[in-house]
Amino acid sequence: MAKLQTLYLFSYNFLQLLGWTLALFRILSNFISTNSVTGVYASAGELICLLQCCAFLEVIHGAIGIVPTGVVLPLMQWSGRTHFLLAIARQIVEVLYLSYQITLTFMH
């Protein structure tokens, strides 16, 4: 059973790695082709939302004992990130269409 759990965790983490690498590639290719951060969210936002929602499995892993992290801390971490991403960032028009202005705001 331990080998099956190890294989599952390796597969899960490898797929997350591939997904986040693809998101980074989309962001960088958009930035390089336009020489601007405008449209960055449009290039990878949906993929990032999907990956973050799939990260709920990390809470499940702790709940069923595959990893020794427990449930509370991974749930708090996942819910904070997901709430910000889905409930706040996706609802702000500036994040979706005016990424350049948002970047300037945080740089000053």
Side-chain angles (χ1 to χ4, degrees):
M1 188 68 167
K3 283 190 174 193
L4 185 60
Q5 288 178 351
T6 303
L7 178 63
Y8 166 74
L9 287 174
F10 178 80
S11 300
Y12 167 76
N13 285 311
F14 185 73
L15 289 173
Q16 282 282 349
L17 172 70
L18 288 178
W20 285 104
T21 302
L22 178 61
L24 178 63
F25 177 75
R26 286 182 179 181
I27 290 169
L28 290 176
S29 65
N30 181 282
F31 179 72
I32 291 168
S33 66
T34 62
N35 203 21
S36 170
V37 294
T38 303
V40 166
Y41 183 85
S43 67
E46 293 301 317
L47 177 60
I48 291 172
C49 289
L50 174 68
L51 291 168
Q52 186 56 45
C53 288
C54 290
F56 184 74
L57 288 173
E58 295 173 19
V59 177
I60 302 299
H61 297 158
I64 62 176
I66 295 177
V67 294
T69 58
V71 177
V72 176
L73 293 178
L75 179 62
M76 289 171 48
Q77 188 177 36
W78 175 84
S79 62
R81 278 191 245 139
T82 305
H83 177 259
F84 175 78
L85 185 62
L86 299 178
I88 298 172
R90 288 183 82 186
Q91 303 304 318
I92 300 173
V93 175
E94 288 83 4
V95 171
L96 300 176
Y97 302 111
L98 304 172
S99 302
Y100 179 70
Q101 286 81 358
I102 299 296
T103 305
L104 286 178
T105 300
F106 287 116
M107 292 178 74
H108 286 118

